[in-house]
Amino acid sequence: MIKYQLLFALIVSLCLSGTVVAISNHDELIWDIWNNEEGEPFDNNQISCSSIEDLNTRELCYRNSGEVQSKEEGSFSLEKRKIKTSNVVHDIYNEAPISIQLEPGSRINYRYLINMSDPAAQQFYEVMVFITGNLCNFPQGLSDPNSYLSLYTAFNDTGIFTNSSDSPFYSQTYNQKDFQYGYLQSLSDTNVKTNDSFYLNIVLEADEIEDVNGTFTIQLGLSQDDLIYQWDNRTWINLVDTDDTTALFMTGNLTTTYNNATDILDSSSNYYTVHIFLDEDDNYFSNLNRSWCSIVNGNELVKQTNISYSFTQRGGGLKEQMYVKGLQPSTDYIAYVTQDFSSTQHGGVVFNRLQFSTQEPDTCKLVFNLTFCDNVAYSVPRSNNVQLDSNFQKLADLYDSNVKDMFGNFSKALQQIPCQAEDDQRYSPIVTCDDCATSYKNWLCAVSIPRCTTNNETEYKYRELNESRNDYINSKVDPPSPYYEILPCLSMCHAIVRDCPTDFGFACPRDNTSIGKSYWFMSDDSAYDTCNYVGALSTSGALPTIGMSRIGLFISFMVVSLVMF
């Protein structure tokens, strides 16, 4: 009996000191120790299984002793993951992402040397390591490849390399992180005060999978400064409009260090990159839509040589716009936007995807960057009188020059208003003649350059041949086919009433029947544009419906003649 007690004490001492008992002898050794000479079960009150540090020995302790496992420790699963362990440990360095080929049923070990000269480590003895991973590719036939991958981390604990993850205690002892939609991010932090080398140890595993071919391709990067790869739930770009073969996107407002925003407007560089895929690829990206490498290195439908990047202040604020050519008519697409980190050699941000569709062929043409109507950026009816070449400039000029000529008449009338008078002598103490000119210009562009689409929505007005908004479009533009017009927003009419002198007698239609002939209402709840708004949206909201008043100036007759068609 004494020899068994001595042997038992030796094993316990080895376990509590962190020494790993040979796994191959576990079952026989534990059973010999835990049976007395009469063959009765060993009294496990002499030691608690939960105190055994070696995970595999602890598991066998529970299985052979009959001790009940605590809820905090979880529960066993006798189904093994069949991971091939390895004692080889590779170094991984700060802000130097690596590409990994990982076979199903295998693991790979890494260690990351902590930079103790980091300011946080020096001042607060706090170490933080940002971990990011991307799933680039995976064995075909998996419904969710993310569920087969796990990453474990531990500071200065080499047991993470030698212990088997088959044990349920492995994930409780070491920090576990899984991939979601092809992306992994984690923060490992600890407080430490040492002059010795300090490591973050990492294990990356792939479960055993039967009857599949191929490997997991994974991108892994670590940094003590920030996440090398990032996922942003915003789409960050808006679809401005499409025609049958092109699309225009625009980002949200950008911040810039330039003293003058015009310094960057002519820049050929781009802050963001748009990637276009067929909508049928959505099934592939359903598991990888947050993965940097799967999107950047994906099978893009449109080459970057067919995408033009520029900057604009259209609608207020500095934005980047992307003009995509080479699309197919009546086709569904998905677009992803990525942003490279300019301050580092690697890494970037993936933004949420955007779905869009092109229009039917040979009806509308997307125009933007007009000289006079600089806030116009949408599809317009094509023209039988203009031969479209590689761009849309001739068609844009046909519309733009007409609006510029009409605005000249209004500009002369506005010069008769004492715009520079003192505040108490001006027509309004709140708005100025500049506000009036801007509102009128945007309104005039919207009602003179109809927004064209081939989509049939309740709010849109169908235009047969020779039944366009005005005679100029019927005769000079001469659309080749019928189209649907997205009517100007009624709030644009309200804006000129609000911002311009009452001497002009501007007024807007009041009843729905009159409104529906020329305008429509803006809806924030709609999945598509219910009306066409040109210019910067006002945050003050639309004014109440305004009654008709007597027309006192020539320019007022022009308002009515332009909109009541």
Side-chain angles (χ1 to χ4, degrees):
M1 185 66 180
I2 295 177
K3 64 178 181 180
Y4 290 114
Q5 291 176 340
L6 291 174
L7 182 56
F8 176 77
L10 175 61
I11 296 300
V12 171
S13 175
L14 290 172
C15 291
L16 294 178
S17 65
T19 303
V20 179
V21 181
I23 295 177
S24 61
N25 296 325
H26 271 174
D27 285 299
E28 181 179 356
L29 182 60
I30 293 297
W31 188 253
D32 287 343
I33 293 174
W34 288 10
N35 280 269
N36 58 26
E37 294 177 351
E38 289 76 26
E40 297 294 331
F42 177 75
D43 182 7
N44 65 310
N45 289 329
Q46 298 181 37
I47 182 171
S48 172
C49 295
S50 62
S51 65
I52 301 177
E53 291 188 2
D54 178 61
L55 303 183
N56 300 285
T57 307
R58 189 195 309 175
E59 179 177 347
L60 290 173
C61 174
Y62 278 116
R63 292 168 63 185
N64 294 334
S65 71
E67 182 180 340
V68 178
Q69 184 182 358
S70 67
K71 293 182 179 180
E72 289 76 12
E73 291 183 294
S75 59
F76 285 125
S77 172
L78 299 181
E79 181 181 352
K80 301 298 182 181
R81 297 170 63 207
K82 302 179 182 178
I83 303 298
K84 302 172 186 176
T85 59
S86 171
N87 292 326
V88 178
V89 180
H90 308 271
D91 287 313
I92 186 170
Y93 301 99
N94 188 63
E95 295 187 357
I98 57 174
S99 180
I100 304 167
Q101 297 292 328
L102 190 63
E103 294 183 357
S106 65
R107 65 156 51 175
I108 189 166
N109 306 321
Y110 293 98
R111 66 174 187 174
Y112 173 83
L113 179 61
I114 303 298
N115 178 16
M116 298 305 295
S117 63
D118 184 87
Q122 284 188 328
Q123 298 178 24
F124 309 107
Y125 307 108
E126 183 179 13
V127 171
M128 292 190 298
V129 181
F130 299 90
I131 307 170
T132 50
N134 296 297
L135 176 56
C136 308
N137 212 336
F138 57 88
Q140 296 304 305
L142 302 181
S143 58
D144 182 10
N146 298 275
S147 62
Y148 294 91
L149 298 172
S150 295
L151 183 139
Y152 303 92
T153 60
F155 283 100
N156 260 25
D157 186 348
T158 55
I160 194 174
F161 301 137
T162 55
N163 287 323
S164 172
S165 61
D166 287 344
S167 169
F169 305 107
Y170 194 86
S171 61
Q172 298 160 17
T173 304
Y174 306 116
N175 182 35
Q176 178 182 0
K177 199 69 178 178
D178 300 320
F179 283 80
Q180 292 184 337
Y181 302 105
Y183 177 67
L184 176 148
Q185 70 173 30
S186 178
L187 173 64
S188 295
D189 64 301
T190 187
N191 293 326
V192 61
K193 185 177 182 181
T194 179
N195 293 323
D196 299 329
S197 296
F198 198 72
Y199 290 94
L200 174 66
N201 296 323
I202 303 166
V203 170
L204 182 62
E205 287 189 348
D207 290 350
E208 180 70 25
I209 312 170
E210 296 181 355
D211 301 325
V212 297
N213 295 319
T215 61
F216 293 92
T217 304
I218 300 165
Q219 218 172 29
L220 185 65
L222 281 74
S223 172
Q224 286 181 241
D225 298 320
D226 202 350
L227 296 171
I228 295 181
Y229 299 100
Q230 297 181 18
W231 155 255
D232 196 318
N233 191 48
R234 300 172 297 172
T235 56
W236 190 232
I237 60 169
N238 295 312
L239 175 66
V240 178
D241 208 351
T242 65
D243 56 26
D244 52 349
T245 60
T246 67
L248 181 65
F249 301 94
M250 190 165 62
T251 69
N253 285 337
L254 307 177
T255 57
T256 177
T257 57
Y258 287 85
N259 293 327
N260 191 335
T262 57
D263 295 340
I264 200 174
L265 292 179
D266 296 329
S267 173
S268 59
S269 62
N270 57 294
Y271 287 173
Y272 301 92
T273 303
V274 64
H275 310 268
I276 307 297
F277 303 90
L278 282 172
D279 188 67
E280 60 190 40
D281 293 330
D282 190 49
N283 290 332
Y284 174 78
F285 284 112
S286 63
N287 291 311
L288 300 177
N289 59 18
R290 299 180 183 179
S291 167
W292 170 273
C293 51
S294 70
I295 294 171
V296 172
N297 301 323
N299 186 24
E300 294 185 54
L301 187 67
V302 179
K303 296 180 179 180
Q304 288 298 317
T305 53
N306 282 338
I307 303 177
S308 302
Y309 296 90
S310 59
F311 295 90
T312 179
Q313 290 178 295
R314 185 174 58 250
L318 180 65
K319 306 175 184 69
E320 184 175 353
Q321 60 185 4
M322 304 95 165
Y323 181 51
V324 181
K325 297 184 291 185
L327 303 176
Q328 296 298 316
S330 304
T331 305
D332 298 328
Y333 297 92
I334 53 177
Y336 285 93
V337 168
T338 59
Q339 179 189 19
D340 292 321
F341 289 148
S342 58
S343 59
T344 60
Q345 184 178 359
H346 305 281
V349 183
V350 173
F351 293 88
N352 207 348
R353 61 187 170 185
L354 178 71
Q355 295 178 298
F356 70 98
S357 303
T358 50
Q359 298 186 30
E360 297 175 8
D362 303 327
T363 301
C364 309
K365 185 61 183 176
L366 179 58
V367 300
F368 62 99
N369 286 356
L370 278 64
T371 302
F372 181 75
C373 290
D374 49 352
N375 281 322
V376 165
Y378 48 80
S379 288
V380 300
R382 291 184 180 230
S383 173
N384 282 322
N385 301 324
V386 173
Q387 182 67 36
L388 292 176
D389 47 19
S390 59
N391 59 51
F392 52 79
Q393 196 59 54
K394 291 181 180 179
L395 179 63
D397 290 343
L398 181 64
Y399 284 102
D400 201 38
S401 59
N402 176 57
V403 180
K404 183 178 179 180
D405 291 341
M406 288 192 294
F407 185 80
N409 295 327
F410 171 81
S411 180
K412 294 176 181 177
L414 189 60
Q415 293 175 7
Q416 308 303 315
I417 304 298
C419 297
Q420 306 303 323
E422 298 295 332
D423 290 350
D424 57 350
Q425 297 178 345
R426 291 207 320 250
Y427 70 91
S428 171
I430 301 175
V431 293
T432 67
C433 289
D434 290 339
D435 297 320
C436 174
T438 299
S439 294
Y440 184 82
K441 174 185 172 181
N442 289 331
W443 171 86
L444 185 61
C445 292
V447 298
S448 303
I449 307 178
R451 182 172 176 181
C452 174
T453 182
T454 57
N455 299 327
N456 182 7
E457 302 293 349
T458 303
E459 299 87 351
Y460 300 167
K461 192 173 186 64
Y462 186 67
R463 299 291 191 183
E464 291 279 7
L465 294 178
N466 296 318
E467 293 184 3
S468 292
R469 175 173 285 271
N470 56 55
D471 290 337
Y472 182 85
I473 300 173
N474 291 330
S475 59
K476 299 297 184 182
V477 176
D478 189 17
S481 58
Y483 61 93
Y484 289 93
E485 181 185 353
I486 306 177
L487 298 173
C489 295
L490 181 62
S491 57
M492 298 189 68
C493 181
H494 290 159
I496 59 174
V497 175
R498 176 194 64 207
D499 295 339
C500 293
T502 57
D503 294 346
F504 287 171
F506 290 152
C508 303
R510 299 183 60 182
D511 61 275
N512 289 341
T513 302
S514 299
I515 292 172
K517 294 179 179 179
S518 305
Y519 302 100
W520 201 253
F521 307 95
M522 182 179 296
S523 173
D524 295 331
D525 299 327
S526 176
Y528 54 87
D529 290 339
T530 55
C531 64
N532 183 34
Y533 193 95
V534 175
L537 284 172
S538 172
T539 58
S540 60
L543 293 179
T545 302
I546 299 176
M548 297 291 289
S549 61
R550 186 171 60 88
I551 298 175
L553 291 175
F554 165 79
I555 198 66
S556 299
F557 288 103
M558 186 167 62
V559 173
V560 176
S561 65
L562 280 171
V563 302
M564 299 305 291
F565 282 90

